[in-house]
Amino acid sequence: MDMGERRSGIVELINQEGYVSFSRLKSAFPDVSEMTLRTDLKKLDEERLIVRVHGGAKSVSFAVGTDDLLARRSLRHAAEKAAIAQKAARLLRPDTTVFIDSGSTTTALAQKLPDMRLLVFTNSLTVAIELSRLKKVTTQLVGGRLNTYSLSTVGGSAMEFVREISFEQLFLGVTGYGEHGGFTCGSDDEAALKRALVASAEETVALVDSSKVGRNSTFPICSISDVAMVVSDDGVSREFRQACENAGTELL
């Protein structure tokens, strides 16, 4: 593999996963020295093909403050998201009001939702489409400006609507979790709406696949102590488990 092929492969890997740690790069390119990989990252960063961050690199779409396209995110870690959705669906109770946030994992939850009497609010077009197959679920779609990356509504109209309602459970989608910054996402508008959702919910359940732990995105949503429960997969780190325990947050 020549230098051009190697660097193209690095960019492709980072774009596929959104964030790649340096150790992940070393395992993906075992025959390349650390010095060469660091030089590659520096050059690719200068060419604005990726963005170097502490401990690795991010795709440009994450770093500039927009989440990656939902269609691409849905393909990553699909098995983990399906497992999370299956566990989260068991938390739903008949004759309650819930809000299902936007995101690939929350859309997976909508796919697993049982047909029971529920009032579901959502700002996600993909969640609403999945819920349309259910006869007993009443779905209320939140209006606002369309975010074409996440296929969700955001902005002033959505914020006003959320502030005027209350719901028993919020199923929250996030882009990343950092040890010091808490839960984050890549859009300022999305983060603001998610913060309003957390404030309006009686109980917040964060859906977090293990690949998001240690991946800081740009805009803060809330701290781990602000959520009652985190639903994740078996690959979650021991450090994250300890963080949940320290915060008094149940990890499922």
Side-chain angles (χ1 to χ4, degrees):
M1 180 184 296
D2 62 24
M3 182 182 69
E5 291 174 332
R6 183 180 68 248
R7 289 182 177 175
S8 293
I10 291 172
V11 172
E12 182 179 358
L13 177 63
I14 293 171
N15 284 338
Q16 284 177 348
E17 301 196 5
Y19 166 81
V20 173
S21 66
F22 192 72
S23 61
R24 171 80 172 90
L25 278 175
K26 287 194 294 183
S27 65
F29 299 90
D31 298 328
V32 182
S33 69
E34 288 192 15
M35 181 177 295
T36 299
L37 283 175
R38 293 187 190 280
T39 300
D40 288 341
L41 292 181
K42 181 179 179 181
K43 183 64 176 176
L44 292 170
D45 180 79
E46 290 172 353
E47 294 175 357
R48 299 186 178 182
L49 296 173
I50 56 100
V51 176
R52 285 195 301 166
V53 296
H54 179 70
K58 288 183 177 182
S59 69
V60 173
S61 61
F62 279 172
V64 299
T66 57
D67 285 337
D68 198 1
L69 286 170
L70 181 64
R72 283 191 286 194
R73 282 188 281 139
S74 298
L75 297 175
R76 299 189 199 116
H77 310 286
E80 290 85 350
K81 291 173 182 177
I84 291 169
Q86 193 72 53
K87 288 192 284 187
R90 299 191 192 108
L91 302 175
L92 288 155
R93 303 181 298 272
D95 299 308
T96 58
T97 301
V98 303
F99 197 109
I100 301 181
D101 186 24
S102 63
S104 55
T105 312
T106 52
T107 299
L109 168 60
Q111 293 170 348
K112 301 287 187 181
L113 210 71
D115 195 8
M116 65 173 71
R117 289 198 305 176
L118 289 170
L119 173 58
V120 180
F121 292 99
T122 187
N123 65 319
S124 166
L125 301 187
T126 54
V127 167
I129 290 170
E130 292 296 338
L131 296 181
S132 67
R133 65 185 168 81
L134 302 176
K135 295 180 179 179
K136 297 179 182 179
V137 174
T138 300
T139 303
Q140 175 73 54
L141 187 60
V142 176
R145 188 178 73 256
L146 179 65
N147 180 329
T148 56
Y149 285 89
S150 62
L151 294 179
S152 65
T153 54
V154 294
S157 298
M159 291 285 286
E160 287 181 19
F161 185 92
V162 165
R163 287 171 178 154
E164 292 178 356
I165 62 173
S166 61
F167 32 90
E168 288 147 287
Q169 285 180 305
L170 163 65
F171 291 91
L172 180 70
V174 305
T175 300
Y177 171 80
E179 180 181 355
H180 303 294
F183 296 113
T184 58
C185 72
S187 162
D188 194 9
D189 284 339
E190 292 267 0
L193 184 61
K194 290 174 189 289
R195 288 193 295 269
L197 289 170
V198 172
S200 295
E202 293 181 17
E203 177 187 65
T204 297
V205 180
L207 308 185
V208 187
D209 75 73
S210 56
S211 73
K212 295 176 180 177
V213 176
R215 177 196 292 177
N216 264 320
S217 198
T218 311
F219 300 101
I221 301 169
C222 64
S223 69
I224 196 167
S225 61
D226 292 322
V227 306
M229 182 182 297
V230 173
V231 183
S232 191
D233 56 82
D234 294 338
V236 73
S237 67
R238 182 175 58 186
E239 291 78 10
F240 185 71
R241 292 180 185 275
Q242 187 62 54
C244 289
E245 184 176 336
N246 294 342
T249 298
E250 184 178 356
L251 178 62
L252 184 62

